[in-house]
Amino acid sequence: MKRNEIKEKLIDIMMGAMGDTDAIEKCTEDSLLSTDLGLNSVGILYTVMGIEDAFSVEFDDVGFSDFKTVGDVLDYIESKLA
Amino acid sequence: MKWTLDEPKYADMVRINFGSLYHFGIYVSDNEIIQFGLAPGRRPHVKESEVEVLSSDAETFCGGQFMEVAKFDKREQKKRFSPEKTVEIARSRLGERGYNMLHNNCEHFAYECTFGKKYCSQTEAVKEFLNNLPLLHVYISTIPDTVSYEKLTPKQRQKEVLTTKDPQRKLERYFVWKLLEHALEKSLHMGIKEAKLRRTPDGKWKSPFFELSIAHTDGTVSVAISREPVGIDIENVSNARDKLSAELILNNDEIGEYKDADALTLLELFAQKESIFKMIGTGVFEPRNIYVSDDPAYVRIERITNKNGEYILAISSKIAEKAKIFNDAIF
């Protein structure tokens, strides 16, 4: 799967977790999950759950605070899909 | 003891005021006032370990302030050393180091030279303040949908809020700080500047005078102020809408007990864990690394209702059961 396809899916997942917002829809890889996109701790929890379902991966070796930006999440998903 | 503007005499205890504090010394003559360090602002920046007992003239001691002289009552007059002995003790300690703001400061020094034992009215006042701190107060409020942003103190918080791009998050960060200002005034009669709040490298806000924790979500903000370490978390009950993943929240020891728990129970556990993490205060939040305590004195769960809906409030503290909760819409 190409990186931009992963990103589009991730955006859908984050919108499902936090609601449709402009910030999430227009996010870049440098967007900070917390301060730019408004993801709080339970929002991150739902995002992780959504990623596990959508990509059939498991977040078994990382912590919640390991991801600061959208790019960090994409890197992790890509590494799991490789 | 009273303080007067009389002319100082040989062996008098003297002081000058700078801001909210005083600097003390033993007056020998206009050319010799023996003191432990110089008043801040009168000395180049020195480390506490380098401060020593020294002698200066009155002009240096006073730094433009009025010199006040201690006037002892009858009991104190009987207890004090003779003037000769006071000066002899003070001179014998010239060059001495070991300054400590709380336990061995200029006021302690002056008292020791005069009465033979340490006493510091300034640290006693701080101790009394600390003893009168509320056990644990938790404030909760809804927030408006828009605001005209005012300046926040300290500047670091102002910057944090202004650089937050998500509008909802920005509002919550702003109003949780305004709630903190409100809480400080109500519980401690203290302004935000006096609280001397500083942000640690791992993103937590701390004061040297009390413990605090802040939390916000979905249009509701909360603040806890306590004399003991405390952590709070607040979660919107509507977030328990799907089957939450127990595997992401629970560790191996907990999964057996809670694996069939419903989404609301898991959300409560998540809130508890986040509040415990905030109380402990270091590292990164990983719910699987935090064990939920069964001890009700340590973790307390409350349901909070306001115009925005229903929330889970988790309070972690060794005095959690004593928490007073103030749930008012103050904005």
Side-chain angles (χ1 to χ4, degrees), chain A residues 16-18 21 23 34-42 45-46 48-49 52 59-60 62-65, chain B residues 163-166 169 173 217 235 239-245 248-249 267 270 274 284-288:
Chain A
M18 296 299 296
T21 67
S34 170
T35 55
D36 294 346
L37 307 188
L39 258 69
N40 53 23
S41 52
V42 79
L45 175 64
Y46 274 113
V48 167
M49 284 167 56
E52 286 191 337
F59 278 70
D60 49 5
V62 293
F64 273 40
S65 303
Chain B
T163 54
T164 301
K165 290 181 187 165
D166 178 70
R169 192 89 161 160
R173 282 182 152 184
T217 193
E235 301 293 348
N239 276 326
R241 59 185 184 272
D242 299 318
K243 181 87 173 90
L244 274 172
S245 166
L248 284 175
I249 299 171
L267 187 63
F270 184 82
E274 188 156 5
V284 295
F285 175 48
E286 175 43 68
R288 289 169 291 196

Side-chain angles (χ1 to χ4, degrees), chain B residues 192-263:
Chain B
I192 192 87
K193 260 191 191 170
E194 291 171 82
K196 296 199 188 307
L197 292 158
R198 291 290 177 267
R199 191 168 177 270
T200 64
D202 54 5
K204 301 211 175 354
W205 284 93
K206 286 192 179 295
S207 165
F209 306 118
F210 53 87
E211 304 287 342
L212 78 144
S213 180
I214 61 177
H216 49 83
T217 193
D218 295 350
T220 294
V221 293
S222 60
V223 159
I225 292 176
S226 178
R227 66 170 77 171
E228 299 287 346
V230 61
I232 57 170
D233 187 47
I234 189 159
E235 301 293 348
N236 193 328
V237 165
S238 66
N239 276 326
R241 59 185 184 272
D242 299 318
K243 181 87 173 90
L244 274 172
S245 166
E247 286 75 21
L248 284 175
I249 299 171
L250 306 174
N251 53 58
N252 291 337
D253 293 338
E254 294 169 332
I255 203 99
E257 185 179 348
Y258 292 110
K259 70 177 172 60
D260 293 326
D262 61 19

Side-chain angles (χ1 to χ4, degrees), chain B residues 115-285:
Chain B
F115 295 102
K117 58 182 180 182
K118 284 187 167 83
Y119 174 78
C120 177
S121 59
Q122 295 173 110
T123 53
E124 289 304 312
V126 169
K127 283 180 194 168
E128 191 184 331
F129 167 79
L130 290 173
N131 285 338
N132 287 328
L133 275 180
L135 282 175
L136 175 46
H137 285 178
V138 180
Y139 290 79
I140 304 153
S141 178
T142 52
I143 66 174
D145 295 330
T146 57
V147 71
S148 176
Y149 288 99
E150 294 171 356
K151 253 187 181 177
L152 295 176
T153 301
K155 283 184 189 167
Q156 201 176 10
R157 182 61 180 185
Q158 165 90 347
K159 191 178 171 189
E160 265 186 349
V161 170
L162 290 182
T163 54
T164 301
K165 290 181 187 165
D166 178 70
Q168 180 64 25
R169 192 89 161 160
K170 188 173 180 173
L171 273 175
E172 287 173 10
R173 282 182 152 184
Y174 175 80
F175 277 109
V176 80
W177 210 250
K178 299 303 281 182
L179 183 63
L180 178 58
E181 287 182 23
H182 171 83
L184 289 176
E185 188 54 51
K186 288 287 177 198
S187 294
L188 302 181
H189 310 293
M190 178 187 271
I192 192 87
K193 260 191 191 170
E194 291 171 82
K196 296 199 188 307
L197 292 158
R198 291 290 177 267
R199 191 168 177 270
T200 64
D202 54 5
K204 301 211 175 354
W205 284 93
K206 286 192 179 295
S207 165
F209 306 118
F210 53 87
E211 304 287 342
L212 78 144
S213 180
I214 61 177
H216 49 83
T217 193
D218 295 350
T220 294
V221 293
S222 60
V223 159
I225 292 176
S226 178
R227 66 170 77 171
E228 299 287 346
V230 61
I232 57 170
D233 187 47
I234 189 159
E235 301 293 348
N236 193 328
V237 165
S238 66
N239 276 326
R241 59 185 184 272
D242 299 318
K243 181 87 173 90
L244 274 172
S245 166
E247 286 75 21
L248 284 175
I249 299 171
L250 306 174
N251 53 58
N252 291 337
D253 293 338
E254 294 169 332
I255 203 99
E257 185 179 348
Y258 292 110
K259 70 177 172 60
D260 293 326
D262 61 19
L264 198 51
T265 303
L266 287 173
L267 187 63
E268 278 189 5
L269 288 167
F270 184 82
Q272 283 184 56
K273 290 187 176 216
E274 188 156 5
S275 70
I276 292 168
F277 167 73
K278 284 175 164 183
M279 178 181 71
I280 296 167
T282 59
V284 295
F285 175 48

